[in-house]
PDB file of all heavy atoms in Angstrom:
ATOM      1  N   GLU A 101     117.683 137.683 283.317  1.00  0.00           N
ATOM      2  CA  GLU A 101     116.936 138.961 283.213  1.00  0.00           C
ATOM      3  C   GLU A 101     117.897 140.128 283.417  1.00  0.00           C
ATOM      4  O   GLU A 101     117.459 141.190 283.880  1.00  0.00           O
ATOM      5  CB  GLU A 101     115.833 138.984 284.245  1.00  0.00           C
ATOM      6  CG  GLU A 101     114.692 138.027 283.928  1.00  0.00           C
ATOM      7  CD  GLU A 101     113.939 138.375 282.631  1.00  0.00           C
ATOM      8  OE1 GLU A 101     114.089 139.493 282.163  1.00  0.00           O
ATOM      9  OE2 GLU A 101     113.215 137.483 282.147  1.00  0.00           O
ATOM     10  N   ARG A 106     118.885 142.202 278.064  1.00  0.00           N
ATOM     11  CA  ARG A 106     117.787 143.050 277.746  1.00  0.00           C
ATOM     12  C   ARG A 106     118.127 144.110 276.729  1.00  0.00           C
ATOM     13  O   ARG A 106     117.267 144.551 275.943  1.00  0.00           O
ATOM     14  CB  ARG A 106     117.201 143.686 278.997  1.00  0.00           C
ATOM     15  CG  ARG A 106     116.243 142.799 279.712  1.00  0.00           C
ATOM     16  CD  ARG A 106     115.422 143.527 280.744  1.00  0.00           C
ATOM     17  NE  ARG A 106     116.175 143.615 282.013  1.00  0.00           N
ATOM     18  CZ  ARG A 106     116.476 144.767 282.609  1.00  0.00           C
ATOM     19  NH1 ARG A 106     116.099 145.873 282.086  1.00  0.00           N
ATOM     20  NH2 ARG A 106     117.136 144.710 283.750  1.00  0.00           N
ATOM     21  N   ARG A 109     117.832 142.084 273.404  1.00  0.00           N
ATOM     22  CA  ARG A 109     116.444 141.774 273.064  1.00  0.00           C
ATOM     23  C   ARG A 109     115.749 143.101 272.590  1.00  0.00           C
ATOM     24  O   ARG A 109     115.770 144.065 273.272  1.00  0.00           O
ATOM     25  CB  ARG A 109     115.713 141.402 274.312  1.00  0.00           C
ATOM     26  CG  ARG A 109     115.720 139.908 274.650  1.00  0.00           C
ATOM     27  CD  ARG A 109     114.747 139.769 275.802  1.00  0.00           C
ATOM     28  NE  ARG A 109     115.248 138.816 276.742  1.00  0.00           N
ATOM     29  CZ  ARG A 109     114.924 138.838 277.999  1.00  0.00           C
ATOM     30  NH1 ARG A 109     114.152 139.711 278.493  1.00  0.00           N
ATOM     31  NH2 ARG A 109     115.420 137.903 278.795  1.00  0.00           N
ATOM     32  N   GLY A 110     115.161 142.931 271.439  1.00  0.00           N
ATOM     33  CA  GLY A 110     114.384 144.130 270.974  1.00  0.00           C
ATOM     34  C   GLY A 110     115.276 145.196 270.371  1.00  0.00           C
ATOM     35  O   GLY A 110     114.972 145.839 269.392  1.00  0.00           O
ATOM     36  N   PHE A 117     106.343 136.291 265.964  1.00  0.00           N
ATOM     37  CA  PHE A 117     105.833 134.970 266.354  1.00  0.00           C
ATOM     38  C   PHE A 117     104.747 134.523 265.348  1.00  0.00           C
ATOM     39  O   PHE A 117     104.349 135.230 264.484  1.00  0.00           O
ATOM     40  CB  PHE A 117     105.244 135.060 267.757  1.00  0.00           C
ATOM     41  CG  PHE A 117     106.226 135.534 268.754  1.00  0.00           C
ATOM     42  CD1 PHE A 117     106.300 136.891 269.073  1.00  0.00           C
ATOM     43  CD2 PHE A 117     107.135 134.652 269.384  1.00  0.00           C
ATOM     44  CE1 PHE A 117     107.230 137.335 270.023  1.00  0.00           C
ATOM     45  CE2 PHE A 117     107.985 135.105 270.341  1.00  0.00           C
ATOM     46  CZ  PHE A 117     108.041 136.464 270.634  1.00  0.00           C
ATOM     47  N   SER A 122      97.687 136.913 269.280  1.00  0.00           N
ATOM     48  CA  SER A 122      97.962 136.775 270.691  1.00  0.00           C
ATOM     49  C   SER A 122      99.310 137.395 271.066  1.00  0.00           C
ATOM     50  O   SER A 122      99.604 137.576 272.202  1.00  0.00           O
ATOM     51  CB  SER A 122      97.955 135.269 271.096  1.00  0.00           C
ATOM     52  OG  SER A 122      98.801 134.547 270.239  1.00  0.00           O
ATOM     53  N   SER A 123     100.123 137.734 270.058  1.00  0.00           N
ATOM     54  CA  SER A 123     101.442 138.326 270.367  1.00  0.00           C
ATOM     55  C   SER A 123     101.314 139.820 270.658  1.00  0.00           C
ATOM     56  O   SER A 123     102.263 140.395 271.169  1.00  0.00           O
ATOM     57  CB  SER A 123     102.383 138.137 269.212  1.00  0.00           C
ATOM     58  OG  SER A 123     102.437 136.803 268.811  1.00  0.00           O
ATOM     59  N   PRO A 126      95.921 143.133 273.522  1.00  0.00           N
ATOM     60  CA  PRO A 126      94.658 143.649 272.992  1.00  0.00           C
ATOM     61  C   PRO A 126      94.240 144.949 273.651  1.00  0.00           C
ATOM     62  O   PRO A 126      93.313 145.598 273.177  1.00  0.00           O
ATOM     63  CB  PRO A 126      93.683 142.527 273.291  1.00  0.00           C
ATOM     64  CG  PRO A 126      94.297 141.782 274.470  1.00  0.00           C
ATOM     65  CD  PRO A 126      95.741 141.934 274.330  1.00  0.00           C
ATOM     66  N   HIS A 128      96.338 147.588 274.449  1.00  0.00           N
ATOM     67  CA  HIS A 128      97.188 148.728 274.152  1.00  0.00           C
ATOM     68  C   HIS A 128      97.188 148.944 272.608  1.00  0.00           C
ATOM     69  O   HIS A 128      97.098 147.966 271.857  1.00  0.00           O
ATOM     70  CB  HIS A 128      98.625 148.463 274.600  1.00  0.00           C
ATOM     71  CG  HIS A 128      98.761 148.248 276.110  1.00  0.00           C
ATOM     72  ND1 HIS A 128      98.676 147.035 276.681  1.00  0.00           N
ATOM     73  CD2 HIS A 128      98.954 149.150 277.108  1.00  0.00           C
ATOM     74  CE1 HIS A 128      98.811 147.164 277.992  1.00  0.00           C
ATOM     75  NE2 HIS A 128      98.978 148.438 278.289  1.00  0.00           N
ATOM     76  N   ASN A 132     101.335 152.525 270.713  1.00  0.00           N
ATOM     77  CA  ASN A 132     101.890 152.439 272.103  1.00  0.00           C
ATOM     78  C   ASN A 132     102.851 151.286 272.248  1.00  0.00           C
ATOM     79  O   ASN A 132     103.927 151.490 272.822  1.00  0.00           O
ATOM     80  CB  ASN A 132     100.688 152.256 273.068  1.00  0.00           C
ATOM     81  CG  ASN A 132     101.128 152.043 274.512  1.00  0.00           C
ATOM     82  OD1 ASN A 132     101.883 151.179 274.775  1.00  0.00           O
ATOM     83  ND2 ASN A 132     100.703 152.936 275.378  1.00  0.00           N
ATOM     84  N   GLN A 133     102.590 150.188 271.634  1.00  0.00           N
ATOM     85  CA  GLN A 133     103.451 149.017 271.829  1.00  0.00           C
ATOM     86  C   GLN A 133     104.744 149.151 271.049  1.00  0.00           C
ATOM     87  O   GLN A 133     105.802 148.739 271.451  1.00  0.00           O
ATOM     88  CB  GLN A 133     102.744 147.707 271.420  1.00  0.00           C
ATOM     89  CG  GLN A 133     101.577 147.380 272.358  1.00  0.00           C
ATOM     90  CD  GLN A 133     100.838 146.155 271.966  1.00  0.00           C
ATOM     91  OE1 GLN A 133     101.361 145.034 271.993  1.00  0.00           O
ATOM     92  NE2 GLN A 133      99.598 146.318 271.575  1.00  0.00           N
ATOM     93  N   GLU A 136     106.951 151.838 272.817  1.00  0.00           N
ATOM     94  CA  GLU A 136     107.579 151.313 273.959  1.00  0.00           C
ATOM     95  C   GLU A 136     108.918 150.640 273.606  1.00  0.00           C
ATOM     96  O   GLU A 136     109.951 150.857 274.240  1.00  0.00           O
ATOM     97  CB  GLU A 136     106.671 150.270 274.625  1.00  0.00           C
ATOM     98  CG  GLU A 136     107.221 149.568 275.801  1.00  0.00           C
ATOM     99  CD  GLU A 136     106.271 148.523 276.295  1.00  0.00           C
ATOM    100  OE1 GLU A 136     105.897 147.622 275.544  1.00  0.00           O
ATOM    101  OE2 GLU A 136     105.895 148.606 277.459  1.00  0.00           O
ATOM    102  N   LEU A 140     112.588 152.370 274.635  1.00  0.00           N
ATOM    103  CA  LEU A 140     113.386 151.529 275.552  1.00  0.00           C
ATOM    104  C   LEU A 140     114.844 151.450 275.139  1.00  0.00           C
ATOM    105  O   LEU A 140     115.777 151.483 275.981  1.00  0.00           O
ATOM    106  CB  LEU A 140     112.753 150.108 275.586  1.00  0.00           C
ATOM    107  CG  LEU A 140     113.093 149.214 276.739  1.00  0.00           C
ATOM    108  CD1 LEU A 140     112.585 149.840 277.998  1.00  0.00           C
ATOM    109  CD2 LEU A 140     112.435 147.860 276.525  1.00  0.00           C
ATOM    110  N   HIS A 141     115.081 151.358 273.847  1.00  0.00           N
ATOM    111  CA  HIS A 141     116.437 151.207 273.385  1.00  0.00           C
ATOM    112  C   HIS A 141     117.013 152.466 272.786  1.00  0.00           C
ATOM    113  O   HIS A 141     118.241 152.607 272.758  1.00  0.00           O
ATOM    114  CB  HIS A 141     116.490 150.056 272.288  1.00  0.00           C
ATOM    115  CG  HIS A 141     116.041 148.777 272.868  1.00  0.00           C
ATOM    116  ND1 HIS A 141     116.849 147.998 273.598  1.00  0.00           N
ATOM    117  CD2 HIS A 141     114.872 148.114 272.766  1.00  0.00           C
ATOM    118  CE1 HIS A 141     116.182 146.873 273.954  1.00  0.00           C
ATOM    119  NE2 HIS A 141     114.990 146.927 273.472  1.00  0.00           N
ATOM    120  N   TYR A 172      93.818 149.227 267.706  1.00  0.00           N
ATOM    121  CA  TYR A 172      94.107 148.089 268.562  1.00  0.00           C
ATOM    122  C   TYR A 172      94.246 146.869 267.689  1.00  0.00           C
ATOM    123  O   TYR A 172      93.690 146.820 266.560  1.00  0.00           O
ATOM    124  CB  TYR A 172      92.951 147.858 269.576  1.00  0.00           C
ATOM    125  CG  TYR A 172      92.887 148.958 270.589  1.00  0.00           C
ATOM    126  CD1 TYR A 172      92.049 150.045 270.446  1.00  0.00           C
ATOM    127  CD2 TYR A 172      93.689 148.919 271.732  1.00  0.00           C
ATOM    128  CE1 TYR A 172      92.026 151.093 271.369  1.00  0.00           C
ATOM    129  CE2 TYR A 172      93.648 149.909 272.687  1.00  0.00           C
ATOM    130  CZ  TYR A 172      92.774 150.991 272.471  1.00  0.00           C
ATOM    131  OH  TYR A 172      92.739 151.997 273.406  1.00  0.00           O
ATOM    132  N   PHE A 174      92.919 143.988 267.639  1.00  0.00           N
ATOM    133  CA  PHE A 174      91.749 143.240 267.217  1.00  0.00           C
ATOM    134  C   PHE A 174      91.008 143.997 266.092  1.00  0.00           C
ATOM    135  O   PHE A 174      90.064 143.464 265.511  1.00  0.00           O
ATOM    136  CB  PHE A 174      90.811 142.956 268.381  1.00  0.00           C
ATOM    137  CG  PHE A 174      90.348 144.160 269.139  1.00  0.00           C
ATOM    138  CD1 PHE A 174      89.322 144.917 268.678  1.00  0.00           C
ATOM    139  CD2 PHE A 174      91.021 144.557 270.285  1.00  0.00           C
ATOM    140  CE1 PHE A 174      88.919 146.066 269.385  1.00  0.00           C
ATOM    141  CE2 PHE A 174      90.610 145.634 271.023  1.00  0.00           C
ATOM    142  CZ  PHE A 174      89.581 146.433 270.526  1.00  0.00           C
ATOM    143  N   MET A 188     107.166 146.510 264.874  1.00  0.00           N
ATOM    144  CA  MET A 188     107.637 146.552 266.261  1.00  0.00           C
ATOM    145  C   MET A 188     108.987 145.883 266.406  1.00  0.00           C
ATOM    146  O   MET A 188     109.867 146.390 267.128  1.00  0.00           O
ATOM    147  CB  MET A 188     106.605 145.867 267.167  1.00  0.00           C
ATOM    148  CG  MET A 188     106.894 146.023 268.606  1.00  0.00           C
ATOM    149  SD  MET A 188     105.404 145.674 269.535  1.00  0.00           S
ATOM    150  CE  MET A 188     105.440 143.927 269.629  1.00  0.00           C
ATOM    151  N   VAL A 327      74.721 139.287 261.500  1.00  0.00           N
ATOM    152  CA  VAL A 327      74.627 140.702 261.849  1.00  0.00           C
ATOM    153  C   VAL A 327      75.609 140.969 263.014  1.00  0.00           C
ATOM    154  O   VAL A 327      75.581 140.257 264.009  1.00  0.00           O
ATOM    155  CB  VAL A 327      73.224 141.104 262.261  1.00  0.00           C
ATOM    156  CG1 VAL A 327      73.151 142.542 262.632  1.00  0.00           C
ATOM    157  CG2 VAL A 327      72.279 140.761 261.125  1.00  0.00           C
ATOM    158  N   GLY A 329      77.821 144.131 265.387  1.00  0.00           N
ATOM    159  CA  GLY A 329      77.717 145.528 265.771  1.00  0.00           C
ATOM    160  C   GLY A 329      76.653 145.682 266.882  1.00  0.00           C
ATOM    161  O   GLY A 329      75.921 144.705 267.238  1.00  0.00           O
ATOM    162  N   ARG A 331      73.337 146.819 268.860  1.00  0.00           N
ATOM    163  CA  ARG A 331      71.992 147.136 268.536  1.00  0.00           C
ATOM    164  C   ARG A 331      71.501 148.156 269.585  1.00  0.00           C
ATOM    165  O   ARG A 331      71.679 147.926 270.756  1.00  0.00           O
ATOM    166  CB  ARG A 331      71.132 145.883 268.655  1.00  0.00           C
ATOM    167  CG  ARG A 331      70.311 145.631 267.406  1.00  0.00           C
ATOM    168  CD  ARG A 331      69.387 144.503 267.593  1.00  0.00           C
ATOM    169  NE  ARG A 331      70.088 143.270 267.401  1.00  0.00           N
ATOM    170  CZ  ARG A 331      69.405 142.062 267.454  1.00  0.00           C
ATOM    171  NH1 ARG A 331      68.157 142.047 267.738  1.00  0.00           N
ATOM    172  NH2 ARG A 331      70.078 140.959 267.262  1.00  0.00           N
TER     173      ARG A 331
ATOM    174  N   ARG B   4      76.660 156.519 274.615  1.00  0.00           N
ATOM    175  CA  ARG B   4      75.560 155.700 274.153  1.00  0.00           C
ATOM    176  C   ARG B   4      75.466 154.443 275.014  1.00  0.00           C
ATOM    177  O   ARG B   4      74.407 154.012 275.496  1.00  0.00           O
ATOM    178  CB  ARG B   4      75.784 155.380 272.715  1.00  0.00           C
ATOM    179  CG  ARG B   4      74.720 154.602 272.107  1.00  0.00           C
ATOM    180  CD  ARG B   4      75.133 154.150 270.735  1.00  0.00           C
ATOM    181  NE  ARG B   4      73.915 153.927 270.012  1.00  0.00           N
ATOM    182  CZ  ARG B   4      73.304 154.808 269.244  1.00  0.00           C
ATOM    183  NH1 ARG B   4      73.875 155.991 269.076  1.00  0.00           N
ATOM    184  NH2 ARG B   4      72.190 154.543 268.651  1.00  0.00           N
ATOM    185  N   LYS B   8      72.533 153.249 277.650  1.00  0.00           N
ATOM    186  CA  LYS B   8      71.905 151.976 277.433  1.00  0.00           C
ATOM    187  C   LYS B   8      71.884 151.203 278.768  1.00  0.00           C
ATOM    188  O   LYS B   8      70.888 150.647 279.202  1.00  0.00           O
ATOM    189  CB  LYS B   8      72.683 151.216 276.390  1.00  0.00           C
ATOM    190  CG  LYS B   8      71.900 150.067 275.772  1.00  0.00           C
ATOM    191  CD  LYS B   8      72.634 149.564 274.511  1.00  0.00           C
ATOM    192  CE  LYS B   8      72.954 148.137 274.634  1.00  0.00           C
ATOM    193  NZ  LYS B   8      73.741 147.648 273.507  1.00  0.00           N
ATOM    194  N   THR B 129     103.861 134.860 290.454  1.00  0.00           N
ATOM    195  CA  THR B 129     105.208 134.952 289.868  1.00  0.00           C
ATOM    196  C   THR B 129     106.175 133.947 290.486  1.00  0.00           C
ATOM    197  O   THR B 129     107.200 133.634 289.917  1.00  0.00           O
ATOM    198  CB  THR B 129     105.796 136.400 289.957  1.00  0.00           C
ATOM    199  OG1 THR B 129     105.654 136.829 291.299  1.00  0.00           O
ATOM    200  CG2 THR B 129     105.108 137.333 289.030  1.00  0.00           C
ATOM    201  N   GLN B 225     101.125 134.875 274.906  1.00  0.00           N
ATOM    202  CA  GLN B 225     102.202 135.215 273.984  1.00  0.00           C
ATOM    203  C   GLN B 225     102.628 136.701 274.109  1.00  0.00           C
ATOM    204  O   GLN B 225     103.787 137.058 273.946  1.00  0.00           O
ATOM    205  CB  GLN B 225     101.726 134.928 272.597  1.00  0.00           C
ATOM    206  CG  GLN B 225     102.778 135.121 271.499  1.00  0.00           C
ATOM    207  CD  GLN B 225     103.880 134.092 271.575  1.00  0.00           C
ATOM    208  OE1 GLN B 225     103.614 132.902 271.757  1.00  0.00           O
ATOM    209  NE2 GLN B 225     105.078 134.535 271.456  1.00  0.00           N
ATOM    210  N   TYR B 226     101.625 137.582 274.383  1.00  0.00           N
ATOM    211  CA  TYR B 226     102.018 139.001 274.362  1.00  0.00           C
ATOM    212  C   TYR B 226     102.960 139.367 275.534  1.00  0.00           C
ATOM    213  O   TYR B 226     103.714 140.327 275.401  1.00  0.00           O
ATOM    214  CB  TYR B 226     100.787 139.924 274.422  1.00  0.00           C
ATOM    215  CG  TYR B 226      99.927 139.726 275.608  1.00  0.00           C
ATOM    216  CD1 TYR B 226     100.286 140.323 276.843  1.00  0.00           C
ATOM    217  CD2 TYR B 226      98.746 139.025 275.581  1.00  0.00           C
ATOM    218  CE1 TYR B 226      99.571 140.155 277.967  1.00  0.00           C
ATOM    219  CE2 TYR B 226      98.002 138.836 276.700  1.00  0.00           C
ATOM    220  CZ  TYR B 226      98.392 139.406 277.875  1.00  0.00           C
ATOM    221  OH  TYR B 226      97.641 139.198 278.989  1.00  0.00           O
ATOM    222  N   THR B 229     106.214 138.615 274.058  1.00  0.00           N
ATOM    223  CA  THR B 229     106.548 139.713 273.117  1.00  0.00           C
ATOM    224  C   THR B 229     107.122 140.882 273.939  1.00  0.00           C
ATOM    225  O   THR B 229     108.108 141.439 273.512  1.00  0.00           O
ATOM    226  CB  THR B 229     105.266 140.181 272.366  1.00  0.00           C
ATOM    227  OG1 THR B 229     104.634 139.052 271.851  1.00  0.00           O
ATOM    228  CG2 THR B 229     105.662 141.147 271.292  1.00  0.00           C
ATOM    229  N   ARG B 231     108.608 140.935 276.758  1.00  0.00           N
ATOM    230  CA  ARG B 231     109.947 140.652 277.230  1.00  0.00           C
ATOM    231  C   ARG B 231     110.945 140.604 276.053  1.00  0.00           C
ATOM    232  O   ARG B 231     112.107 140.967 276.250  1.00  0.00           O
ATOM    233  CB  ARG B 231     109.968 139.358 278.041  1.00  0.00           C
ATOM    234  CG  ARG B 231     109.185 139.511 279.315  1.00  0.00           C
ATOM    235  CD  ARG B 231     109.582 138.484 280.342  1.00  0.00           C
ATOM    236  NE  ARG B 231     109.415 137.113 279.888  1.00  0.00           N
ATOM    237  CZ  ARG B 231     110.244 136.115 280.216  1.00  0.00           C
ATOM    238  NH1 ARG B 231     111.283 136.373 281.031  1.00  0.00           N
ATOM    239  NH2 ARG B 231     109.999 134.923 279.793  1.00  0.00           N
ATOM    240  N   ALA B 232     110.467 140.143 274.890  1.00  0.00           N
ATOM    241  CA  ALA B 232     111.362 140.122 273.715  1.00  0.00           C
ATOM    242  C   ALA B 232     111.707 141.500 273.274  1.00  0.00           C
ATOM    243  O   ALA B 232     112.712 141.694 272.575  1.00  0.00           O
ATOM    244  CB  ALA B 232     110.674 139.333 272.632  1.00  0.00           C
ATOM    245  N   LYS B 233     110.930 142.494 273.703  1.00  0.00           N
ATOM    246  CA  LYS B 233     111.323 143.889 273.361  1.00  0.00           C
ATOM    247  C   LYS B 233     112.479 144.342 274.241  1.00  0.00           C
ATOM    248  O   LYS B 233     113.050 145.384 273.997  1.00  0.00           O
ATOM    249  CB  LYS B 233     110.163 144.822 273.690  1.00  0.00           C
ATOM    250  CG  LYS B 233     109.056 144.838 272.657  1.00  0.00           C
ATOM    251  CD  LYS B 233     108.085 145.877 273.140  1.00  0.00           C
ATOM    252  CE  LYS B 233     106.687 145.591 272.602  1.00  0.00           C
ATOM    253  NZ  LYS B 233     105.697 146.451 273.224  1.00  0.00           N
ATOM    254  N   GLY B 234     112.699 143.616 275.344  1.00  0.00           N
ATOM    255  CA  GLY B 234     113.756 143.999 276.278  1.00  0.00           C
ATOM    256  C   GLY B 234     113.220 144.756 277.501  1.00  0.00           C
ATOM    257  O   GLY B 234     114.019 145.341 278.225  1.00  0.00           O
ATOM    258  N   LEU B 235     111.924 144.734 277.746  1.00  0.00           N
ATOM    259  CA  LEU B 235     111.370 145.371 278.938  1.00  0.00           C
ATOM    260  C   LEU B 235     111.866 144.655 280.168  1.00  0.00           C
ATOM    261  O   LEU B 235     111.963 143.440 280.174  1.00  0.00           O
ATOM    262  CB  LEU B 235     109.844 145.265 278.910  1.00  0.00           C
ATOM    263  CG  LEU B 235     109.024 146.279 278.177  1.00  0.00           C
ATOM    264  CD1 LEU B 235     107.606 145.994 278.343  1.00  0.00           C
ATOM    265  CD2 LEU B 235     109.339 147.672 278.666  1.00  0.00           C
ATOM    266  N   PRO B 236     112.179 145.370 281.206  1.00  0.00           N
ATOM    267  CA  PRO B 236     112.541 144.703 282.506  1.00  0.00           C
ATOM    268  C   PRO B 236     111.344 143.952 282.997  1.00  0.00           C
ATOM    269  O   PRO B 236     110.192 144.370 282.757  1.00  0.00           O
ATOM    270  CB  PRO B 236     112.870 145.894 283.448  1.00  0.00           C
ATOM    271  CG  PRO B 236     112.986 147.081 282.599  1.00  0.00           C
ATOM    272  CD  PRO B 236     112.295 146.800 281.305  1.00  0.00           C
ATOM    273  N   LYS B 243     102.671 146.288 283.066  1.00  0.00           N
ATOM    274  CA  LYS B 243     101.962 146.858 281.895  1.00  0.00           C
ATOM    275  C   LYS B 243     101.033 145.864 281.230  1.00  0.00           C
ATOM    276  O   LYS B 243      99.968 146.186 280.793  1.00  0.00           O
ATOM    277  CB  LYS B 243     102.968 147.436 280.920  1.00  0.00           C
ATOM    278  CG  LYS B 243     102.241 148.025 279.701  1.00  0.00           C
ATOM    279  CD  LYS B 243     103.218 148.897 278.880  1.00  0.00           C
ATOM    280  CE  LYS B 243     102.467 149.431 277.648  1.00  0.00           C
ATOM    281  NZ  LYS B 243     103.283 150.149 276.732  1.00  0.00           N
ATOM    282  N   TYR B 244     101.424 144.584 281.120  1.00  0.00           N
ATOM    283  CA  TYR B 244     100.637 143.666 280.346  1.00  0.00           C
ATOM    284  C   TYR B 244      99.839 142.660 281.208  1.00  0.00           C
ATOM    285  O   TYR B 244      98.587 142.863 281.291  1.00  0.00           O
ATOM    286  CB  TYR B 244     101.510 142.970 279.322  1.00  0.00           C
ATOM    287  CG  TYR B 244     102.039 143.933 278.276  1.00  0.00           C
ATOM    288  CD1 TYR B 244     103.345 144.440 278.428  1.00  0.00           C
ATOM    289  CD2 TYR B 244     101.241 144.428 277.266  1.00  0.00           C
ATOM    290  CE1 TYR B 244     103.818 145.395 277.482  1.00  0.00           C
ATOM    291  CE2 TYR B 244     101.724 145.376 276.414  1.00  0.00           C
ATOM    292  CZ  TYR B 244     103.026 145.807 276.510  1.00  0.00           C
ATOM    293  OH  TYR B 244     103.480 146.708 275.611  1.00  0.00           O
ATOM    294  N   MET B 248      95.740 143.060 282.357  1.00  0.00           N
ATOM    295  CA  MET B 248      94.716 142.200 281.838  1.00  0.00           C
ATOM    296  C   MET B 248      93.968 141.470 283.009  1.00  0.00           C
ATOM    297  O   MET B 248      92.780 141.212 282.869  1.00  0.00           O
ATOM    298  CB  MET B 248      95.335 141.119 280.908  1.00  0.00           C
ATOM    299  CG  MET B 248      96.060 141.712 279.762  1.00  0.00           C
ATOM    300  SD  MET B 248      94.949 142.461 278.612  1.00  0.00           S
ATOM    301  CE  MET B 248      94.262 140.978 277.898  1.00  0.00           C
ATOM    302  N   PRO B 323      89.592 148.212 275.617  1.00  0.00           N
ATOM    303  CA  PRO B 323      89.059 148.653 274.358  1.00  0.00           C
ATOM    304  C   PRO B 323      88.256 147.587 273.599  1.00  0.00           C
ATOM    305  O   PRO B 323      87.453 147.917 272.761  1.00  0.00           O
ATOM    306  CB  PRO B 323      90.359 149.001 273.541  1.00  0.00           C
ATOM    307  CG  PRO B 323      91.446 148.254 274.178  1.00  0.00           C
ATOM    308  CD  PRO B 323      91.047 148.196 275.637  1.00  0.00           C
ATOM    309  N   ARG B 324      88.457 146.289 273.931  1.00  0.00           N
ATOM    310  CA  ARG B 324      87.700 145.276 273.252  1.00  0.00           C
ATOM    311  C   ARG B 324      86.213 145.438 273.584  1.00  0.00           C
ATOM    312  O   ARG B 324      85.355 145.248 272.721  1.00  0.00           O
ATOM    313  CB  ARG B 324      88.163 143.878 273.641  1.00  0.00           C
ATOM    314  CG  ARG B 324      89.540 143.528 273.039  1.00  0.00           C
ATOM    315  CD  ARG B 324      90.044 142.278 273.701  1.00  0.00           C
ATOM    316  NE  ARG B 324      90.298 142.483 275.104  1.00  0.00           N
ATOM    317  CZ  ARG B 324      90.829 141.567 275.898  1.00  0.00           C
ATOM    318  NH1 ARG B 324      91.123 140.421 275.410  1.00  0.00           N
ATOM    319  NH2 ARG B 324      91.029 141.794 277.185  1.00  0.00           N
ATOM    320  N   ARG B 326      84.836 148.224 274.592  1.00  0.00           N
ATOM    321  CA  ARG B 326      84.428 149.550 274.120  1.00  0.00           C
ATOM    322  C   ARG B 326      84.117 149.531 272.625  1.00  0.00           C
ATOM    323  O   ARG B 326      83.189 150.115 272.144  1.00  0.00           O
ATOM    324  CB  ARG B 326      85.493 150.536 274.478  1.00  0.00           C
ATOM    325  CG  ARG B 326      85.182 151.962 274.151  1.00  0.00           C
ATOM    326  CD  ARG B 326      86.173 152.898 274.794  1.00  0.00           C
ATOM    327  NE  ARG B 326      87.465 152.858 274.146  1.00  0.00           N
ATOM    328  CZ  ARG B 326      88.613 152.661 274.830  1.00  0.00           C
ATOM    329  NH1 ARG B 326      88.584 152.332 276.096  1.00  0.00           N
ATOM    330  NH2 ARG B 326      89.730 152.645 274.147  1.00  0.00           N
ATOM    331  N   ALA B 330      78.578 143.988 270.820  1.00  0.00           N
ATOM    332  CA  ALA B 330      78.155 142.586 270.879  1.00  0.00           C
ATOM    333  C   ALA B 330      77.784 142.093 269.485  1.00  0.00           C
ATOM    334  O   ALA B 330      77.144 142.780 268.738  1.00  0.00           O
ATOM    335  CB  ALA B 330      76.948 142.479 271.854  1.00  0.00           C
ATOM    336  N   THR B 332      75.738 139.431 267.235  1.00  0.00           N
ATOM    337  CA  THR B 332      74.584 138.598 267.351  1.00  0.00           C
ATOM    338  C   THR B 332      74.662 137.460 266.335  1.00  0.00           C
ATOM    339  O   THR B 332      75.224 137.671 265.277  1.00  0.00           O
ATOM    340  CB  THR B 332      73.289 139.377 267.182  1.00  0.00           C
ATOM    341  OG1 THR B 332      73.409 140.046 265.902  1.00  0.00           O
ATOM    342  CG2 THR B 332      73.118 140.402 268.247  1.00  0.00           C
TER     343      THR B 332
END
Side-chain angles (χ1 to χ4, degrees):
Chain A
E101 291 296 344
R106 276 194 274 124
R109 270 188 220 154
F117 304 92
S122 53
S123 308
H128 297 91
N132 175 301
Q133 293 179 67
E136 177 184 57
L140 199 62
H141 298 282
Y172 292 94
F174 56 81
M188 189 161 82
V327 179
R331 231 188 280 182
Chain B
R4 185 187 201 94
K8 200 168 124 182
T129 48
Q225 184 71 44
Y226 61 78
T229 311
R231 294 203 299 146
K233 283 182 204 170
L235 276 182
K243 181 165 176 184
Y244 297 99
M248 300 291 283
R324 287 169 298 182
R326 184 167 72 237
T332 55

